[in-house]
Amino acid sequence: MSRINYGVITLIPKTVGATDIRQFRPIMVINVLECIFSKVCATHLAPVAERLDHPLQTAFLKGRQIHDGILALHEIVHEVRTRGHKGFFLELDFHKAYDRLDWSFLRTAININGEVGPFFMSSAGVKQGDPISPLLFNIDVHALVGILDKARTVGHISGVVGHLIPEGGVTHLQYADDTVIMVEGSTLDIVNLKFLLLCFEAMSGLKINFDKSEVVIADNLNCGLASFPITYLEIPMADSKILMSVLDLLVQWVARRAEPWHGRFTSKGSKSILSFANLVSLPMFLVGLYILPEGVHGSFDKELTGFFWQAADGRQKYHMVKWANICRPKDQGGLGIMASHRMNVALMLRWVWRIMRGEGGLWLQLIQAKYLRGEPLLACSRPGGSRFWRSNQKIKEDSRLEISFTIGNGDGTQWLDPWMGTETLRVGFPTLFSRFTDLSILVSEASRSGQWDIRSCRMFGQAEHVEWTRLLAALPPVLPDYPDTVSWRL
C-alpha cells in the first residue's frame, strides 16, 4: 500500500530537437489503483458537472461536441459580417492552465452516508490525464463565464447578434480553456472587459495570454491584431469565403504523413491498413463541418493513390483498378478504405439529422433564427447564407432515403415526406400523387379545420376518387398539441 501514490515522470519533447527544459512536457504515469479511484470519482462527478457547467462549454461533457462551438462561432462571424454589425472578438489562451490553477479557488467536502462535512482546501495540482481533472478545470473556468453573464445582465458589456439570441446576445464560447469572448466593441465594452479579465486572473490564479489572440482585437487590451481567415480549434474560419489555398493545407497534411512510410518494406497489406487507420482520418475533423469542393477530394485521392501504388524504388506502378473500386466495402470487392467524399456527405447528414430532431444548443438557435424561421429544414430553401448552410442545403435531400415522420401537429412535415408508414405517397398512391400541384405543402396546411384539402391539377376521375377514398381512410389524425417526430428506419 505504500506504493499506491508512486509515479514515474517522463519528459516528452514539445518540439523537434528540444534542448531546453521548458521545451519538454512532464508526463507522470500514476499507479493503477489511483487511476481506478480517480475514475470512480470522475464518474460520480460527471452528472453534477453537466448541470453546473455553462451550456456554452463544449469540452469533456457527455452530449456536447467540439464542432458545436466551432459552428456557433462560424455562424456568428458570418452574421456580423453580412449585416455590417460591429463585433469585437477576443480569443484567450490560458498560460500553463493546469499548472497555475489556484486550489484556493476550488473547495472540497466529503459526503459520508448522506452527511456533508466541512469544506477544506486541496493542496495538490490538477493532473493532466487524470479523469477528474477536466471536470474540475471546467468548474474553475466557469467562474469567468459567470462574470461575463452578470456583466451582460447589468449592462456593463453587450453581446453580439442580439437580434438572433435574446437577453443580450452571445458574449463567449468555451472549449475547456479555449475561450472566445465577443462583444459589440464600444469603448465601454473594452474597458469593462479588461477589468473583468483582470479580476478573473486574480481570483483563479490563471494567467491569460492576450498576445496569442487570433481573432479581431483592440489595441488598448495590448493584444495582437489578426485578420481572416483564422483557425479556431484547428478549423479554418473566414468572414466570407474560405480560399482553396487554405483547404490545400489539408492535402499537405496527408502528403507529409505518408512521406516517411514510402519504402520497400511496406507491403500492400500494410499500406491499406495505414491508409484506413491514419491517412483518411486526417481530414475527418474538417469534413464534419463543410462540404469540400470536388477538387479537394480529388487531391486527397491522388495522395492516397500515390502512396498505395508506389513501388519500392519510388516509381509509380501501373494499376488497372480505379481508386473508387478500392474504396468499396470488402463484401463488394474493395479494400474498405474510406472515400473522403462519401464520408463528407455522411458527416454533414449528421447535422441534418440533429436539426430535424431539434438536438443542439446555441448553434441550433442560430440556424433556426437565421434560416429556418419556423419552417422545417426539408421545406426551407432559403438561398445564400454561410458555408455551413449552403453545404447543408446541398445534401439535405439525401436524408429522405431512410427516414419517416410521425405526425403530430403537421408543422414539421411536408406532403411529399414519408409520413404514412415506410412508404411515401408517391409510392403508395402513384396515380393520385401525380395529380397534386403543391407537393411542398405542409401536412398542417393540408388539414386545416380538420378537413383534408390538397389542390390537384384537374378534376379527379373514377380511379383518382377510389385512391382518394383509400387515402383518407389511411391518413393519421393530426394532433395539434404535439410536434412531429422523425425516426431513422434502419
Side-chain angles (χ1 to χ4, degrees):
M1 294 297 291
S2 62
R3 298 181 62 86
I4 285 180
N5 292 323
Y6 279 30
V8 177
I9 296 178
T10 303
L11 299 179
I12 307 296
K14 298 179 182 178
T15 59
V16 178
T19 56
D20 189 273
I21 188 63
R22 289 170 295 185
Q23 296 175 318
F24 290 85
R25 177 179 287 108
I27 300 295
M28 184 176 71
V29 181
I30 61 177
N31 188 281
V32 174
L33 287 179
E34 186 173 341
C35 289
I36 295 174
F37 298 151
S38 181
K39 184 63 177 177
V40 170
C41 292
T43 302
H44 283 77
L45 179 60
V48 179
E50 292 171 13
R51 297 195 299 269
L52 292 178
D53 285 332
H54 198 277
L56 299 185
Q57 171 64 266
T58 56
F60 313 127
L61 297 170
K62 186 177 180 181
R64 305 187 192 181
Q65 303 176 19
I66 186 172
H67 278 103
D68 291 358
I70 299 173
L71 176 55
L73 181 60
H74 170 73
E75 292 295 337
I76 289 171
V77 169
H78 174 267
E79 181 72 5
V80 170
R81 175 191 173 275
T82 53
R83 289 187 173 268
H85 293 174
K86 291 178 63 178
F88 173 89
F89 296 85
L90 178 67
E91 185 174 4
L92 304 181
D93 177 73
F94 294 94
H95 181 63
K96 296 186 179 296
Y98 277 69
D99 300 333
R100 289 180 174 268
L101 181 62
D102 189 348
W103 271 84
S104 63
F105 201 51
L106 289 173
R107 304 237 169 202
T108 308
I110 299 177
N111 186 328
I112 302 178
N113 296 331
E115 294 188 9
V116 179
F119 286 87
F120 60 91
M121 289 187 298
S122 304
S123 58
V126 178
K127 303 172 184 176
Q128 294 192 49
D130 192 323
I132 204 172
S133 295
L135 302 177
L136 295 177
F137 187 82
N138 276 0
I139 293 173
D140 188 81
V141 295
H142 179 73
L144 174 60
V145 177
I147 292 174
L148 294 174
D149 282 346
K150 288 184 180 296
R152 181 191 59 190
T153 301
V154 299
H156 293 321
I157 58 175
S158 302
V160 296
V161 296
H163 61 291
L164 297 179
I165 305 299
E167 300 180 2
V170 184
T171 57
H172 72 280
L173 293 169
Q174 274 189 321
Y175 182 81
D177 63 330
D178 287 299
T179 303
V180 176
I181 297 178
M182 52 198 85
V183 292
E184 286 189 349
S186 65
T187 303
L188 181 63
D189 281 339
I190 306 305
V191 173
N192 288 338
L193 181 59
K194 186 172 184 178
F195 175 73
L196 296 174
L197 295 176
L198 292 175
C199 290
F200 175 71
E201 279 188 333
M203 289 190 303
S204 66
L206 295 172
K207 176 64 177 176
I208 297 176
N209 283 344
F210 294 103
D211 58 341
K212 291 186 179 180
S213 182
E214 295 180 354
V215 195
V216 183
I217 33 180
D219 293 337
N220 60 358
L221 276 176
N222 193 27
C223 304
L225 184 65
S227 59
F228 290 103
I230 55 98
T231 300
Y232 176 62
L233 298 180
E234 303 303 323
I235 292 286
M237 190 171 297
D239 58 345
S240 56
K241 184 178 180 180
I242 298 178
L243 301 177
M244 286 295 296
S245 58
V246 177
L247 298 177
D248 285 343
L249 294 176
L250 286 173
V251 182
Q252 296 175 19
W253 290 352
V254 177
R256 286 197 301 266
R257 181 63 62 87
E259 182 61 30
W261 295 337
H262 290 294
R264 59 193 181 94
F265 297 112
T266 309
S267 65
K268 285 291 185 288
S270 62
K271 286 181 178 180
S272 64
I273 293 175
L274 289 171
S275 298
F276 183 81
N278 194 294
L279 296 182
V280 298
S281 65
L282 291 178
M284 208 62 62
F285 191 51
L286 179 59
V287 301
L289 197 63
Y290 309 125
I291 290 290
L292 301 186
E294 288 298 327
V296 176
H297 290 296
S299 298
F300 286 142
D301 292 344
K302 182 179 179 181
E303 294 295 337
L304 291 172
T305 303
F307 168 70
F308 187 81
W309 292 110
Q310 190 177 48
D313 56 3
R315 294 181 294 107
Q316 289 294 315
K317 294 179 65 176
Y318 182 75
H319 54 90
M320 299 181 64
V321 180
K322 293 182 178 180
W323 185 249
N325 294 334
I326 292 179
C327 292
R328 288 180 177 179
K330 292 183 178 180
D331 58 359
Q332 296 180 16
L335 296 180
I337 296 176
M338 194 181 304
S340 63
H341 172 73
R342 289 201 292 268
M343 181 52 66
N344 194 180
V345 174
L347 292 176
M348 289 303 299
L349 284 173
R350 175 64 179 169
W351 290 106
V352 174
W353 174 254
R354 294 181 70 189
I355 293 173
M356 289 193 297
R357 298 273 293 183
E359 297 174 352
L362 175 63
W363 69 268
L364 182 58
Q365 290 178 265
L366 291 167
I367 295 296
Q368 290 172 337
K370 287 179 66 173
Y371 308 116
L372 299 181
R373 303 173 192 173
E375 292 183 80
L377 176 62
L378 296 181
C380 182
S381 57
R382 192 159 282 107
S386 65
R387 188 184 186 96
F388 170 82
W389 175 252
R390 287 182 279 112
S391 298
N392 191 288
Q393 292 291 86
K394 285 181 181 179
I395 51 91
K396 68 177 185 179
E397 291 298 325
D398 293 344
S399 65
R400 294 184 189 271
L401 296 176
E402 294 296 343
I403 62 172
S404 59
F405 291 85
T406 301
I407 294 299
N409 54 26
D411 288 339
T413 307
Q414 290 178 278
W415 189 255
L416 54 79
D417 286 331
W419 54 281
M420 296 184 58
T422 59
E423 289 186 344
T424 62
L425 297 177
R426 185 193 305 271
V427 176
F429 304 87
T431 304
L432 192 61
F433 192 85
S434 63
R435 302 293 183 265
F436 295 141
T437 58
D438 189 5
L439 300 179
S440 62
I441 188 174
L442 297 178
V443 173
S444 58
E445 296 173 348
S447 62
R448 289 175 178 172
S449 303
Q451 298 293 324
W452 291 98
D453 182 20
I454 184 76
R455 294 180 181 179
S456 63
C457 60
R458 62 175 176 79
M459 296 292 292
F460 287 167
Q462 183 177 0
E464 287 87 356
H465 271 296
V466 173
E467 279 203 356
W468 178 251
T469 303
R470 188 162 59 91
L471 174 61
L472 290 178
L475 289 173
V478 175
L479 307 174
D481 297 331
Y482 298 92
D484 299 347
T485 58
V486 61
S487 58
W488 178 248
R489 289 200 295 265
L490 297 181

